[in-house]
Amino acid sequence: MNLKSLARDTAIYGLSSIVGRFLNYLLVPVHTNRIAVESGGYGIVTNLYAYTALFFALLTFGMETTLFRFSNRSGEDPEKVYGTSLKLVGGVGLAFVALVLVFLGPIASSMGYAAHPEYVGAMALIVAMDAFQAIMFSHLRLEGKAVKFMLLKFAFIVPNVLLNLFIFLVMPFVPMLQGVYARFNDGVGLIFFANLICTAGVFGFFGSELKGLRGGFDRALAGRMLGYSWPLLLLSLVGILNQVADKILFPFLYGGGADVQLGIYGACVKIAMIMALLTQAFRYAYEPIVFGSSRDRNDPQTLADGMKYFIVFTTFAFLAVMFYMPLLKYFIGKGFWAGLGVVPIVMAAEVFMGVYFNLSFWYKLTDRTWWGAVLSAAGAIVMIAVNVVGVPRMGYVACAWGGFAGYGTSMVLSYALGRRYYPVSYDRRGIGFFLVLGVLLYFVSLLPGRICADWPEWAGLVFNTALLAVYGVMVYKKLIK
């Protein structure tokens, strides 16, 4: 293996993913400042994109991983595998879109969008095209075309960001466009149409990849591929349910004003998603180091070290976000600040999810991948139960605690089973020290504001910076020095 090429491609894929998510992330302040909280518009965005994530998992049905597996399997023709994958996903996507469009009225009404069924239709088209493009993106990765992969990702992201800026910063002030702006919930519906336009536009750059449709359809191969992919579909569905079920269920559980409350929750969750960006950056930087050589591969000590460094890093990220919340809260509109109390809960849930991901190596390395579906399902059941019981009483706060409880359940169960099937000597004392230190510093940061109601914001930032420095010094002394 060419390690230099591997490092280069990893950097490109990481850059396209992290920078892409960051650019989309920058739309949050635009949306939350231009969409009035009382309109419930941001709740519509949160709800429909949750559906999109769920149906994306359904429409790809594990075929991305299946494409990798069968393309590298002895005796299989990679081009035939690719063409069959395209046709399977494309066929399912077309059937899905046709079904949604034929029954658009009843479907939109059941989802609460009777006044705007076009939103549901647009999202159906988007998710079907995204699923089809996912196979072509996977093919680019198989062929090592990392640069084209990155450019095509940005071919969607950049126009989408520019269109959103036009919608919210230009259209409201152009008299001839104000009627269109108002017609679609003051720009909210135009977010979906912009997404649809940009997704469709990317097809124009997939010339050579679309040639995979020319080959014949191998029914026997399709059967083998579907047999391999259905457990992956189950695992993917359960995993995505943990992330979006609360946002899908909320309107049905909360009742009147659900869009407003869901919008507040969705906006504040975006602040907590800083943790997701940072942990992804950690994985891109760390995984090539850990798994880049055969000497370290599958080494329990390597997994133990990776877990410790991951927890230390994410604890630092948690503290940084919470300590600088007086500044970070301006990332969303002031009308959404009522929900800032859920940020530490959601961030803690993200840490649990990251730990669960790191623990997942035990069932991957022992070929017990079915345990992944079982553990994720257990977490999803707990999360949904907390939402069903808690949302009518606590509103979106129950959504935050549902994620915390769900990911916590999966994490604890995975750790317990991992000790039996693939024992790893985690540095529990060292991990515990940094976790306790992080929790202690967080609660210390709250004390001045509780003691002195007039505690200045600038003084709080200085005090919190000193606390963060304490954590940094302890990391340096115990792990680096």
Side-chain angles (χ1 to χ4, degrees):
M1 178 182 290
N2 187 329
L3 293 180
K4 184 181 292 186
S5 175
L6 174 64
R8 183 203 64 190
D9 289 355
T10 300
I12 292 173
Y13 290 131
L15 179 69
S16 63
S17 178
I18 294 172
V19 174
R21 290 185 66 179
F22 179 72
L23 289 174
N24 276 322
Y25 200 62
L26 293 180
L27 289 176
V28 175
V30 176
H31 290 162
T32 56
N33 279 283
R34 298 300 303 170
I35 300 172
V37 63
E38 61 272 10
S39 73
Y42 202 69
I44 295 174
V45 174
T46 301
N47 180 246
L48 281 178
Y49 274 112
Y51 276 107
T52 300
L54 177 63
F55 281 103
F56 178 81
L58 274 169
L59 296 185
T60 51
F61 49 93
M63 198 53 61
E64 293 169 279
T65 302
T66 303
L67 173 64
F68 281 105
R69 180 72 179 92
F70 276 75
S71 294
N72 292 293
R73 177 178 283 182
S74 177
E76 302 287 4
D77 180 355
E79 287 307 311
K80 188 171 289 187
V81 169
Y82 172 56
T84 301
S85 300
L86 275 181
K87 288 168 184 170
L88 283 170
V89 174
V92 171
L94 285 174
F96 170 77
V97 170
L99 187 65
V100 171
L101 295 181
V102 168
F103 299 100
L104 184 58
I107 292 173
S109 180
S110 68
M111 293 171 62
Y113 298 105
H116 288 284
E118 65 273 18
Y119 295 175
V120 177
M123 296 310 288
L125 288 167
I126 289 167
V127 73
M129 288 192 290
D130 277 343
F132 189 74
Q133 289 180 5
I135 302 302
M136 293 189 287
F137 275 115
S138 295
H139 189 247
L140 287 174
R141 291 167 62 194
L142 267 172
E143 295 191 326
K145 296 180 179 179
V147 173
K148 185 173 183 179
F149 179 97
M150 178 181 68
L151 291 176
L152 287 177
K153 287 292 185 182
F154 284 121
F156 166 80
I157 294 165
V158 174
N160 187 55
V161 170
L162 293 176
L163 275 177
N164 273 265
L165 294 177
F166 176 79
I167 290 166
F168 291 101
L169 302 183
V170 177
M171 288 187 70
F173 307 103
V174 179
M176 63 185 299
L177 298 176
Q178 288 173 348
V180 177
Y181 183 81
R183 163 71 177 82
F184 297 106
N185 294 94
D186 290 333
V188 170
L190 299 178
I191 294 174
F192 310 129
F193 300 147
N195 192 331
L196 178 59
I197 291 169
C198 295
T199 302
V202 174
F203 274 105
F205 302 98
F206 272 119
S208 59
E209 284 70 36
L210 285 169
K211 292 178 182 177
L213 289 169
R214 295 178 181 175
F217 181 78
D218 190 323
R219 183 175 296 182
L221 173 62
R224 296 196 301 273
M225 294 177 72
L226 290 172
Y228 180 87
S229 69
W230 77 262
L232 299 176
L233 167 63
L234 177 62
L235 183 58
S236 178
L237 276 179
V238 172
I240 204 68
L241 274 175
N242 275 304
Q243 300 177 41
V244 303
D246 54 347
K247 303 170 187 68
I248 291 174
L249 292 173
F250 190 87
F252 300 103
L253 298 173
Y254 189 77
D259 284 347
V260 174
Q261 296 301 307
L262 184 59
I264 292 172
Y265 175 65
C268 291
V269 164
K270 293 294 185 181
I271 295 179
M273 288 301 102
I274 293 174
M275 178 67 79
L277 285 173
L278 292 174
T279 53
Q280 186 179 37
F282 178 89
R283 290 174 188 171
Y284 277 121
Y286 188 68
E287 286 181 340
I289 297 173
V290 175
F291 301 108
S293 69
S294 58
R295 181 175 60 86
D296 291 327
R297 192 182 301 274
N298 302 351
D299 181 8
Q301 186 57 48
T302 300
L303 299 179
D305 291 341
M307 177 67 79
K308 180 166 68 174
Y309 287 118
F310 176 82
I311 290 177
V312 169
F313 178 82
T314 51
T315 302
F316 180 85
F318 174 88
L319 293 175
V321 171
M322 298 315 304
F323 287 172
Y324 295 106
M325 187 58 68
L327 298 177
L328 291 174
K329 67 183 181 182
Y330 290 99
F331 184 72
I332 61 176
K334 289 185 179 180
F336 297 87
W337 289 1
L340 289 173
V342 304
V343 174
I345 306 170
V346 175
M347 288 194 69
E350 286 291 322
V351 174
F352 288 170
M353 182 178 70
V355 172
Y356 172 54
F357 174 84
N358 280 278
L359 288 169
S360 68
F361 285 107
W362 74 260
Y363 59 74
K364 294 175 182 177
L365 295 175
T366 59
D367 294 327
R368 292 182 172 91
T369 50
W370 57 275
W371 270 114
V374 173
L375 295 171
S376 295
I381 291 170
V382 170
M383 184 270 291
I384 291 172
V386 171
N387 276 266
V388 170
V389 174
V391 165
R393 298 170 176 81
M394 303 166 60
Y396 56 75
V397 176
C399 295
W401 283 115
F404 182 93
Y407 285 128
T409 298
S410 297
M411 177 185 69
V412 171
L413 290 176
S414 184
Y415 175 74
L417 288 166
R419 293 186 66 184
R420 174 182 176 183
Y421 292 111
Y422 195 85
V424 175
S425 299
Y426 294 109
D427 182 8
R428 287 176 290 182
R429 178 175 295 181
I431 290 172
F433 171 81
F434 285 107
L435 282 176
V436 171
L437 177 63
V439 172
L440 179 63
L441 290 174
Y442 170 65
F443 282 107
V444 168
S445 74
L446 301 177
L447 290 178
R450 302 289 175 85
I451 296 172
C452 178
D454 298 325
W455 179 249
E457 193 171 273
W458 66 266
L461 289 170
V462 171
F463 181 65
N464 290 345
T465 299
L467 293 178
L468 192 62
V470 170
Y471 186 85
V473 168
M474 296 307 298
V475 170
Y476 176 78
K477 286 186 174 181
K478 290 189 171 291
L479 295 182
I480 300 175
K481 188 175 180 180

